[in-house]
Amino acid sequence: MASSSVEVVLGRGKAGEVALFDLDTSGTAVSTSAVAVDALPAAVAAREADGDVRWIWSDTPTWYAPLLSAGVRVRRAWDLRLVHAILRDAASVQEDQGLRGQTSWDAAAGASDDLDTLFALDDGVGPPEGADAALAEYRRQRSAIAAAAAGTAGSLRLLAAAESAGALIGAELHAAGLPWSVEAHARLLDEQLGARTPGGLPSRIEDAASAVRSALDDPGVSLDSQPKLLRALHRAGILVESTSRWELSQHDHPAVAPLIAYKKLMRLYTANGWAWMDEWVRDGRFRPVYVPAGVVTGRWASSGGGALQIPRQLRTAVCADPGWTLVTADVAQLEPRVLAAMARDTALAAAASGRDLYAGVVEAGALATRAEAKMAMLGAMYGATTGESGRLVPRLRRTFPRAMGLVDEAARIGEDGGRVSTWLGRTSPAAGEAWRTLQSRASGTDASGSDESHARRAARDRGRFTRNFIVQGTAAEWALAWLGDLRTRLSALAPVDVADAAPRSGPAFARSPHLAFFLHDEIVVHTPLAYAEAVADAVRTSAASAGRLLFGEFPIDFPLDLKVGRTAEKE
DNA sequence: TCTAAGTGCGCG
DNA sequence: AAAGCGCGCACTTAGA
């Protein structure tokens, strides 16, 4: 990438110091300097004020969390650990680039929670890599990308930049937090769960439990123990094989409704009840720990707080500060759109253009109803073979052969033990040793029928994984591009007068419009009211820009469901 | 008393 | 009891 930014490698230096290497365009260090650990935020801030710098560091949680704590934000980074993982596994990268052998760069990044201060660096906590090792690894990564298979270097560079931007955003999202009203949350808990009783369950859970026990005529039965509950259900003549809601709801018995209610309330109580609120909401902010690229496909994971599982009913608690508002946006049918573009399937792209994709699929005559179209499309991307979904997929295959051919081919490669890659070049993991053994045993002359069926099932499982990998992974890349572009646009909006409309808490950058939440294909921006329209424009513009960045002029659009409002509720 | 595995359910 | 991908978390039971 012909970048105009200056590159600076930052790493551990002599005791108590951080070393900084300024690089020229060839990746050679042209000047070195050192700063005391506690002077680092000021030094970084000064360089950022000077101009566009790309900070090359071992890993973002370790270096960026302390900077954010000190009120310093950076524009660009290169996360050596995340990029290492991409290049190490990428099919387009050559074998002999020094990235394949197990090294310290393969270790997981440290938990950001313990590293909010630079003392952690001083104490020898954090990555072992000094600045020299970081520079050496960066040079390996640069040359590996430069030597990558024909036509793939640009994509890998883009992926590395997007991944690193994502790492910055993950740290910033944690620092800023999602504005959360404990009042609204507590109101919802009171309404749903009833009064809290000391040493016991909330009243409405207790009520539901009593109703179940009397309907089962089993006064002491435990509802939290699956085996005991199952036996009690059988004794009452409810012949289920599991205690899942889906199966229970198929039965007509007076115990069913209260049991389902019990499970629902209990879930809210244990997963997002008062204890969760006490632990995870501070100063009006929910601050989950995001783990960028925590999923093999490149999707983000989260750790603690269940950030990726906030129940929709709790959306009422997501509430902007006074004088501020929320811009909430999600992409409609991101994965099939990405699939259409990857496959260069103009028929599917046309069906998606400017409207609900599933409605377009119906109009194209592939399927009769929107519900069927959705079922079939999900089935195609997940690998459904049976049931209604599996039955409908062939209809889609006839109408959109290119798109369906791409996922079918990805599945075939996976079943054969091969690897597949996303649009930008993230490659799926190789088949494991156990998987290979299973397959070779099944193809031997002395293979039993059981060997064969086991191997067949494992192959199918793997095929469904690789089938979905290319779509889920490319969708994650699109989302990174969207986030990265949006972050830049938001930071260009001027900070507001702090006295006029200050957020209740958070870092300095949170005094102007900023990202507050991200979940696969959805973002929430917290913004002063005056900027709401500018933010909405930025959100839409960055979505269009992400589409072009990945897919060029291929005619695919990414329409957003966008809402501006005090709460983040969606219809 | 600890860990691992099973079950179920929340999210995309 | 899912079918059909990817996760994290709470709770229980089995096993060491």
Side-chain angles (χ1 to χ4, degrees), chain A residues 121-148:
Chain A
L121 292 173
D122 219 3
D123 290 348
V125 182
E129 294 76 24
D132 293 327
L135 175 57
E137 172 65 16
Y138 181 55
R139 293 176 61 89
R140 275 194 295 278
Q141 294 185 1
R142 277 178 60 122
S143 55
I145 291 173

Side-chain angles (χ1 to χ4, degrees), chain A residues 8 113 116 140 204 208-209 220 229 247 252 291 296 298 360 388 436 534 565:
Chain A
V8 179
D113 267 9
D116 278 358
R140 275 194 295 278
R204 293 199 51 196
L229 176 58
E247 196 182 0
D252 184 25
V291 185
V296 275
E388 196 194 357
R436 290 189 182 282

Side-chain angles (χ1 to χ4, degrees), chain A residues 204-216 221-226 228-234 236 238-240 242-251 253-267:
Chain A
R204 293 199 51 196
I205 301 186
E206 219 36 277
D207 294 346
S210 309
V212 175
R213 294 195 178 101
S214 69
L216 292 177
V221 66
S222 162
L223 305 183
D224 302 319
S225 160
Q226 196 263 3
K228 288 173 188 161
L229 176 58
L230 196 58
R231 280 195 295 275
L233 290 166
H234 288 174
I238 309 172
L239 302 180
V240 286
S242 78
T243 64
S244 75
R245 178 147 75 224
W246 189 92
E247 196 182 0
L248 285 170
S249 67
Q250 306 296 105
H251 289 77
H253 186 284
V256 168
L259 180 52
I260 288 175
Y262 173 86
K263 284 162 156 276
K264 210 172 186 75
L265 296 176
M266 200 63 180
R267 166 84 194 184

